[in-house]
Amino acid sequence: MRRPALIPLVVLAAALVTGAGCGRPSATSRVSSTTLAGPATAPPTTPAPTIPPTTTPPTTAAPPTTSAPVPAAGLQIGPGTQQTYSIQPQAAPGSCHYTYIGSDPLPDPRCTPGAIAPQVTQSNIGSTICSPGFTSTIRPPESVTEPEKVASAATYGYTGSLHVAEYDHLVSLELGGDPNDPANLWVEPPDDPNATSFANTKDKLENRLNALVCNGRLSLATAQQAIAGNWVWAYQAYVG
């Protein structure tokens, strides 16, 4: 008896059984798959670096200021030598104040910053301040300076004797100072309590600076700035 016809049927049945494995996965398979995948997790964050607190450097206290004033306006250029001088108005009484270094007085730089005569320059010192007798030819007369001196004393509140107080050119005439500009004139109190005249320490500095300028050892501008800025310091530097 022949059986070849059964072989295709057997093969077909086997194919059907095998194809059943290609259908939807079982519940057990789905759970296992989920378990393996696991829940989604965010990547670990890296903490921001800690920034050390800033430190403020300690403040350094400013050095104490000296009692000596510094000219606020600097040297001025005055009208210079005049054929005829007139009495110049002074600042209001009591509006200017002295400063002292020891017994040496300094003028108020707001009132007396110093002023120079435009006619005197570095190039002509040989015929001006270095020429003997020059200052006597440009000095204002007492008829002008005496009333100014009284008014200047009131401006500075000076109540001492005017016989021992000099009506002083801050930048002296022998250094090219302006002869009658109020910015260059002040009543200078005596630096010696036993003074009998208005000769004072500043006069020595004026002579010394004039000699240095005329000998070519110091420029005119440097000498003018030194005596106007702080004549006491200039005295220590150039006279000793």
Side-chain angles (χ1 to χ4, degrees), residues 1-238:
M1 181 175 167
R2 297 177 59 186
R3 297 185 178 178
L6 295 177
I7 294 175
L9 292 177
V10 174
V11 172
L12 177 61
L16 291 174
V17 172
T18 303
C22 297
R24 289 170 40 184
S26 65
T28 303
S29 298
R30 291 198 301 271
V31 171
S32 298
S33 175
T34 303
T35 303
L36 289 176
T41 57
T45 58
T46 302
T50 303
I51 301 175
T54 58
T55 56
T56 302
T59 57
T60 303
T65 56
T66 176
S67 59
V70 176
L75 277 174
Q76 299 181 14
I77 299 178
T81 304
Q82 306 292 309
Q83 292 293 329
T84 303
Y85 293 103
S86 59
I87 298 173
Q88 298 299 301
Q90 306 296 311
S95 61
C96 303
H97 306 281
Y98 297 113
T99 298
Y100 284 84
I101 298 180
S103 61
D104 297 319
L106 292 168
D108 191 327
R110 297 176 300 111
C111 304
T112 317
I116 59 176
Q119 294 90 346
V120 178
T121 65
Q122 182 68 51
S123 62
N124 68 12
I125 58 174
S127 60
T128 55
I129 63 171
C130 299
S131 176
F134 169 75
T135 60
S136 63
T137 65
I138 63 171
R139 190 179 299 275
E142 289 187 2
S143 60
V144 170
T145 58
E146 283 302 312
E148 290 178 349
K149 182 177 181 179
V150 172
S152 179
T155 293
Y156 272 92
Y158 177 77
T159 57
S161 171
L162 290 178
H163 294 293
V164 293
E166 181 180 1
Y167 190 43
D168 177 66
H169 293 93
L170 181 58
V171 180
S172 63
L173 297 183
E174 62 192 304
L175 291 174
D178 191 277
N180 200 40
D181 190 330
N184 196 43
L185 284 157
W186 62 303
V187 171
E188 180 185 1
D191 50 43
D192 181 358
N194 301 315
T196 58
S197 71
F198 52 73
N200 54 60
T201 303
K202 182 172 177 287
D203 295 335
K204 299 176 183 178
L205 172 65
E206 294 169 358
N207 294 334
R208 174 61 174 166
L209 290 178
N210 174 266
L212 291 174
V213 171
C214 293
N215 290 336
R217 298 172 60 189
L218 195 67
S219 72
L220 176 62
T222 299
Q224 291 171 337
Q225 290 286 349
I227 200 167
N230 188 309
W231 75 261
V232 179
W233 289 351
Y235 185 94
Q236 295 169 354
Y238 295 104

